[in-house]
Amino acid sequence: WVHAGKQADCHSSSSLYSRAWSGFEKVKARADETAQVVTSPEQVKNADTFTTFMSVYKKQPSRVKLSDCVIAWQDTFTASTHRVDKAQADLVAYTRELDKALNAVVKSKSEKDVDNAKNMVQAKLDEMNSLLASSDGQVADNATRDNLQNTINAVKNALNDKNATVESLKKVVEPVQAAIDQVNASMQAKKDADAAAAAAAAQAAQAQAQARS
């Protein structure tokens, strides 16, 4: 009965360790992928998350050899079971630590990516605001400036959205260049029309002067 109980303990320890290892491998796969993508603290908003993640990631354990649960010497057998129990507890603790560090660095990278996207969008917003001011009264079709103003409003709303993502910010700038190009084209059209009108007026004035003479 003693032997049977100890064998049951051994099988239970081995089973728990195997399950713990499977759980670890799932987290490790995500960590391996992240370690390939996030390679410097400049890629994350909080550099400490990168430092912590890399420190924990480098401590990955090796898989322990499990007992076959065949009793030879009872003391040695018990010690082997205890060794697996400790390895299982350590593995579970490490998996939690790695998962926590992994989630933190992934979140921090996402925040940095959003910040970078917002900076790009802000630059476009500044460009549009400048063009809106400089194009006042300088376009052939004022509808182009109205469209630019609407685009500016949409971009502002996206920047102020607390739940903004890289995808939502990229989407909001898609029509920006077209709105800018339309205003620039309308400004050029007005310049061309004004130049043509001035040339025509000069030609008419010259013809009138010649007629008088």
Side-chain angles (χ1 to χ4, degrees):
W1 289 105
V2 172
H3 284 183
K6 289 189 176 295
Q7 280 185 316
D9 290 343
C10 175
H11 286 300
S12 176
S13 294
S14 296
S15 176
L16 287 173
Y17 181 83
S18 295
R19 277 187 299 203
W21 187 263
S22 294
F24 160 67
E25 285 189 319
K26 291 177 182 177
V27 177
K28 179 181 181 297
R30 290 171 47 226
D32 288 341
E33 183 179 346
T34 299
Q36 293 294 317
V37 175
V38 187
T39 57
S40 75
E42 286 74 24
Q43 291 175 267
V44 296
K45 187 166 186 175
N46 181 352
D48 288 344
T49 62
F50 175 80
T51 302
T52 300
F53 169 68
M54 293 308 298
S55 175
V56 176
Y57 178 70
K58 289 175 182 177
K59 296 189 299 184
Q60 290 185 31
S62 299
R63 188 166 190 171
V64 301
K65 182 173 172 37
L66 298 177
S67 168
D68 56 12
C69 294
V70 175
I71 293 181
W73 296 97
Q74 185 168 305
D75 290 343
T76 303
F77 184 83
T78 300
S80 176
T81 299
H82 288 167
R83 175 183 60 83
V84 175
D85 286 342
K86 184 179 185 310
Q88 186 264 343
D90 290 344
L91 182 60
V92 169
Y94 173 75
T95 301
R96 287 173 180 164
E97 183 184 17
L98 179 60
D99 188 54
K100 180 179 178 181
L102 172 61
N103 290 336
V105 79
V106 168
K107 179 182 177 183
S108 191
K109 183 179 187 302
S110 177
E111 290 171 346
K112 182 61 178 285
D113 289 344
V114 170
D115 284 350
N116 289 340
K118 282 186 174 181
N119 290 337
M120 178 268 293
V121 173
Q122 183 63 55
K124 282 295 184 182
L125 180 60
D126 293 343
E127 182 182 354
M128 286 191 292
N129 279 325
S130 176
L131 180 60
L132 187 68
S134 64
S135 63
D136 188 16
Q138 304 299 317
V139 292
D141 181 4
N142 210 54
T144 60
R145 293 184 75 252
D146 292 339
N147 180 56
L148 183 64
Q149 180 65 71
N150 291 335
T151 306
I152 287 173
N153 294 340
V155 169
K156 282 182 178 178
N157 289 335
L159 279 175
N160 292 330
D161 182 4
K162 293 181 179 179
N163 298 315
T165 64
V166 172
E167 290 71 24
S168 68
L169 292 167
K170 282 183 178 178
K171 186 173 182 61
V172 80
V173 296
E174 286 177 359
V176 166
Q177 195 57 50
I180 290 174
D181 291 344
Q182 287 169 7
V183 172
N184 284 329
S186 190
M187 289 175 70
Q188 187 61 51
K190 185 177 188 308
K191 286 180 182 178
D192 292 344
D194 289 348
Q203 187 175 15
Q206 184 179 15
Q208 190 174 26
Q210 288 176 343
R212 285 201 198 97
S213 64

